[in-house]
Amino acid sequence: MSDVPADGSRAELTTAEIPSLLLRMIPESADSTAETYDRPAETAVLTEDARVRLYRLLAECFTTPVLMPELESDNPDTKLLAVGTS
């Protein structure tokens, strides 16, 4: 199921929505998000720190622990790497 409306238009995404969207689309980031923010991931993505410091969220909770290991893997999870490309 696509997040794009049937008419092909895309709603504008606000900065405040990015942390929750990341967690929803890439649940593999939950453990690192919880560890980084020292609280459950579902709560952490709602904090001001997650919204204001998006680079930290993307680097410490997604890129380093989730994305890079897959990119460096001999057998990467192609479903994970294809998230959001449909």
Side-chain angles (χ1 to χ4, degrees), residues 8 13 17 24 29 36 47 49-51 55 57 60 62 67 73 75-77 81-82 84 86:
L13 185 65
E17 295 171 301
R24 188 177 87 230
S29 67
T36 298
T47 65
D49 192 37
R51 291 188 310 268
Y55 180 80
L57 176 75
E60 294 179 21
F62 171 64
L67 180 61
S73 172
N75 190 21
D77 182 341
L81 294 176
S86 55

Side-chain angles (χ1 to χ4, degrees), residues 19-20 23-24 27 29-31 33-34 37 39-47:
S20 294
L23 183 60
R24 188 177 87 230
S29 67
D31 289 343
T33 301
Y37 293 97
R39 63 185 71 198
E42 296 79 11
T43 304
V45 296
L46 301 176
T47 65

